[in-house]
Amino acid sequence: MAGPLPQQFGKYTLIERIAVGGMAEIYRAKTFGAAGFEKELVIKRILSMFSADDEFVRMFIDEARLAARLAHANVVQIYDFDRVDAPSGPSYYIAMELVEGKDLRFLLREGAKRQRFLSLPQAVHVAIETLKGLHYAHTRTDGGDALDIVHRDVSPHNVLLSYAGDVKISDFGIAKAVARASATSNGMVKGKLAYMSPEQVTGQPLDRRTDVFSCGIVLYEMLTRSRLFAGEVEVEVIGRVRDGTVPPPRLRNPAIPEDLEKVLLKMLARDRDARFPSAAEAARALSATSVYSANEAMTLGDFVAEIFPPGTKPPGAQPKQEAKTPMANPPSNRSDQPGPAESGAATVMLEAPVIPQRPAQAAAPPVTEQKTAILDTNSPAGAALQQQIEAARAKVAQAPVSVGPSVQVAPQAPIMEQKTAILDTSSPAGAALQQQIEAARARVAQGAPPAAAPIMEQKTAILDTSSPAGAALQQQIEAAR
């Protein structure tokens, strides 16, 4: 948002920009009323590129309306949805509770630098309080009908810790709309892969147990002080999440008692039927472990204040500005129209750092998105196409390479690298493709002849269409389709 702060934004006064994420700007703000009333809160303003997307706005409003019904001590409260009309177009925003403290991601990162870590009882306390908020949302009803709210994005940056020792989870209902908005035309979904469940990363329908798994990842990392599903590239992370292989926590931290390890591994079971059926069951099991303490809220608040003393800011944060008293309770531009907010790309914390926006690049790389091609190599066209792909790979492998300014590359190598596509089965196209894949696999498993099972396996190729060979190969793929 252009212009100096503070500035008026609908019925709110923006005081300080806290952070900029991929989909929204986050501001500390105030609202004013009669007799000197004022209240601090957070404004999450959707970036203009998404506010102009009617489908995203519609989905976001639907999800945000559900999230606004949540009122629980372990859930960040949503106060308001609206939009402010400007010459450049409508600006949608969400007004939400301001939590004085830090998010878990910053706390773990800074604590590791100082070799100061959450104790085992503190880590279990954070997980239990998070599970309480999740269970409340999972079981919400409207007139007796289940709302079926699933968070989908339980990760350290969405777990907020206050100086008073409160634990709150943020951005309920946001992840679903954002996942749909970030899907490419062929159904691929992008997200924080390292905190997804196996069923989420493979595009299956989700229920509350996916949030239990994600909370288990967060607890695992607090207890072991290490990443669970780490990888150098996305495809490596996806493979590890999909396989669901979890190293025993006690191998990484022998101080973890066996009873706690048993509960954690059940939260992280690859088969969702082997997990706790609800967040409440997981919370009860953690409460029964030998490290549980009912008095960790105060020690947690002290730990947050020790790592991040109140009033301090991380490097790069904007200096605080005092707001000028605005006109009392100015009218909203559209009080009857709720608006959306951004996903977990930026946190709702008061002291979060500002992430500079990247300048626009003049030249985009030749590969702008990932596409997945499923080849029927039993057909003549598919077999010919497979041969060309293998020949291109061979050129890459045989390309001469030298160190220094005279580095040589294969000019005709159209295949740059392999990546994995995740289907968004909530879209009609994604659901239809998933059904075809499952049907083909079933036919193969039943011994169907090759002609009856055209889909043998999934292979992903990313083409450099700026090369002649890549452009020609792309034309053949399109013609085959």
Side-chain angles (χ1 to χ4, degrees), residues 27-262:
Y27 291 90
R28 183 170 63 88
K30 283 186 178 183
T31 181
F32 297 85
F37 171 83
E38 62 180 62
K39 182 178 181 63
E40 283 196 279
L41 66 161
V42 165
I43 295 293
K44 185 175 280 193
R45 187 189 73 84
I46 301 304
L47 298 178
S48 58
M49 69 181 73
F50 296 102
S51 290
D53 184 339
D54 293 338
E55 180 64 12
F56 171 79
V57 169
R58 184 191 64 77
M59 289 187 297
F60 202 101
I61 290 173
D62 290 343
E63 295 299 321
R65 281 174 175 160
L66 288 179
R69 301 185 186 188
L70 304 180
H72 189 270
N74 297 116
V75 176
V76 174
Q77 180 68 52
I78 294 176
Y79 298 137
D80 186 21
F81 303 99
D82 210 337
R83 81 179 195 189
V84 173
D85 293 320
S88 58
S91 182
Y92 289 90
Y93 68 89
I94 182 172
M96 56 205 316
E97 176 185 2
L98 175 67
V99 179
E100 299 274 5
K102 289 293 173 185
D103 70 37
L104 183 59
R105 173 187 54 176
F106 288 133
L107 190 71
L108 295 178
R109 182 183 303 168
E110 188 63 24
K113 292 178 183 178
R114 304 185 189 186
Q115 289 298 295
R116 292 285 291 117
F117 303 100
L118 289 168
S119 67
L120 298 185
Q122 287 172 339
V124 169
H125 172 76
V126 170
I128 289 174
E129 295 301 298
T130 302
L131 289 165
K132 288 180 181 178
L134 289 171
H135 178 70
Y136 167 79
H138 293 162
T139 56
R140 284 287 290 159
T141 60
D142 181 23
D145 297 325
L147 293 177
D148 293 325
I149 297 177
V150 179
H151 192 287
R152 292 177 170 82
D153 190 19
V154 180
S155 55
H157 89 280
N158 275 333
V159 177
L160 313 185
L161 312 177
S162 79
Y163 292 118
D166 301 317
V167 179
K168 296 176 180 282
I169 187 164
S170 68
D171 283 350
F172 264 103
I174 305 306
K176 185 176 181 180
V178 171
R180 291 181 182 178
S182 61
T184 62
S185 57
N186 65 334
M188 187 190 68
V189 178
K190 302 174 182 178
K192 288 189 287 298
L193 301 171
Y195 296 95
M196 290 184 177
S197 64
E199 61 268 23
Q200 186 175 9
V201 84
T202 52
Q204 301 176 44
L206 302 180
D207 58 30
R208 64 185 64 178
R209 291 170 294 180
T210 190
D211 288 344
V212 172
F213 188 93
S214 297
C215 187
I217 299 175
V218 175
L219 178 57
Y220 185 100
E221 296 183 351
M222 286 190 289
L223 295 173
T224 66
R225 302 157 189 174
S226 62
R227 294 295 295 273
L228 176 53
F229 297 122
E232 295 295 328
V233 293
E234 283 187 358
V235 67
E236 186 178 352
V237 176
I238 291 172
R240 291 180 177 177
V241 175
R242 180 195 62 224
D243 296 341
T245 302
V246 179
R250 285 168 53 81
L251 289 181
R252 298 188 177 185
N253 183 1
I256 299 172
E258 292 182 3
D259 61 344
L260 177 56
E261 180 182 65
K262 182 179 179 180

Side-chain angles (χ1 to χ4, degrees), residues 267-323:
M267 294 176 68
L268 292 170
R270 185 185 185 281
D271 181 358
R272 71 177 93 184
D273 291 332
R275 294 176 210 152
F276 292 101
S278 69
E281 288 295 321
R284 277 192 283 267
L286 288 173
S287 299
T289 61
S290 56
V291 300
Y292 170 73
S293 170
N295 303 311
E296 290 305 314
M298 185 175 296
T299 67
L300 179 63
D302 292 342
F303 183 79
V304 175
E306 177 188 343
I307 302 299
F308 293 102
T312 61
K313 287 184 176 294
Q318 289 186 335
K320 187 178 292 186
Q321 303 177 36
E322 292 298 327

